[in-house]
Amino acid sequence: AQKITQTQPGMFVQEKEAVTLDCTYDTSDQSYGLFWYKQPSSGEMIFLIYQGSYDEQNATEGRYSLNFQKARKSANLVISASQLGDSAMYFCAMREAGGYQKVTFGTGTKLQVIP
Amino acid sequence: DSGVTQTPKHLITATGQRVTLRCSPRSGDLSVYWYQQSLDQGLQFLIQYYNGEERAKGNILERFSAQQFPDLHSELNLSSLELGDSALYFCASSVSGISYGYTFGSGTRLTVV
């Protein structure tokens, strides 16, 4: 079974609007970390935001926030006030405490911001 | 600059050839990971090293091999290259701990012609 599921292969959002990118995960660990990365067309992978499994508050970094619902095992990324530069591929990822702590990535969501 | 250095940035080579991709991790990071990303695809995990030792293997072909040296830099060797090996190859490094994600290098874009 996939550990990280991103069900939206592609999404469009109007400039200045907010958008939510979905991510669900599967783990039996109590301790884990959740991450979002952005990959623009230039190819580099950029870390956006982190949420720990024990964090009670949703993480925020500027226009990015992570809507963490532990019971539902979801970690959706919310981008507020979308900008043209937000057009990119977005990957959700999880790092579990067990094993060798390898990070597992989702398949990604391609976001296009429309002017 | 993320602190993870990958060379070369671009590589064009012919089928059947062998290439070596190099990665220097961020200072202090003992773990190195290699990923392959084909066009418009997700990240395929290849292999993980920790302080010189292989820790985990993913979907790495037998034609591919890797190692991590005492100075912690890592090399990914790709041999008998095929057209389908054309991809973006990422190296990432990390410290241990679930609070830490990966720091990625800028990638090596390999084109096999």
Side-chain angles (χ1 to χ4, degrees):
Chain A
Q2 281 192 335
K3 291 203 168 189
I4 297 285
T5 303
Q6 295 181 254
T7 57
Q8 307 151 313
M11 289 191 69
F12 291 91
V13 64
Q14 203 78 35
E15 195 177 6
K16 300 180 185 175
E17 297 291 313
V19 63
T20 298
L21 306 184
D22 294 341
C23 172
T24 57
Y25 59 92
D26 183 28
T27 180
S28 55
D29 280 3
Q30 295 301 309
S31 296
Y32 51 89
L34 297 159
F35 306 85
W36 278 91
Y37 288 85
K38 172 184 178 181
Q39 186 180 36
S41 58
S42 51
E44 71 269 31
M45 293 286 287
I46 302 167
F47 164 75
L48 292 178
I49 196 167
Y50 159 79
Q51 177 85 42
S53 59
Y54 291 114
D55 294 341
E56 295 188 352
Q57 300 229 353
N58 288 338
T60 60
E61 289 286 349
R63 293 185 299 110
Y64 304 109
S65 61
L66 200 153
N67 185 357
F68 180 46
Q69 297 187 49
K70 193 171 182 176
R72 298 178 65 179
K73 293 188 175 178
S74 79
N76 299 338
L77 178 70
V78 180
I79 305 175
S80 62
S82 295
Q83 302 172 356
L84 296 179
D86 294 333
S87 294
M89 196 75 162
Y90 290 82
F91 291 96
C92 179
M94 175 175 65
R95 191 170 198 180
E96 297 166 285
Y100 294 123
Q101 298 183 357
K102 181 172 65 71
V103 173
T104 304
F105 289 87
T107 51
T109 295
K110 188 167 186 176
L111 177 68
Q112 295 188 62
V113 180
I114 306 166
Chain B
D1 182 7
S2 68
V4 179
T5 303
Q6 278 191 257
T7 56
K9 290 195 184 312
H10 301 275
L11 198 50
I12 302 175
T13 190
T15 54
Q17 294 299 304
R18 173 189 167 95
V19 297
T20 297
L21 313 184
R22 183 187 167 101
C23 169
S24 294
R26 194 179 57 168
S27 178
D29 290 355
L30 299 180
S31 293
V32 168
Y33 310 80
W34 286 97
Y35 284 82
Q36 178 193 55
Q37 186 181 33
S38 301
L39 190 62
D40 289 335
Q41 297 294 309
L43 294 159
Q44 296 294 321
F45 169 67
L46 296 178
I47 199 163
Q48 174 193 356
Y49 282 87
Y50 177 82
N51 202 21
E53 292 188 6
E54 181 185 302
R55 277 287 175 92
K57 259 185 174 179
N59 301 320
I60 187 166
L61 300 172
E62 285 193 11
R63 299 183 286 108
F64 295 1
S65 64
Q67 55 185 322
Q68 186 180 28
F69 295 87
D71 66 352
L72 300 179
H73 92 272
S74 178
E75 293 181 357
L76 178 67
N77 300 297
L78 315 176
S79 61
S80 303
L81 284 166
E82 303 174 359
L83 296 178
D85 298 327
S86 295
L88 187 55
Y89 291 84
F90 281 110
C91 167
S93 72
S94 174
V95 294
S96 297
I98 60 170
S99 303
Y100 303 97
Y102 291 170
T103 301
F104 283 86
S106 56
T108 293
R109 193 171 294 277
L110 174 67
T111 304
V112 183
V113 297

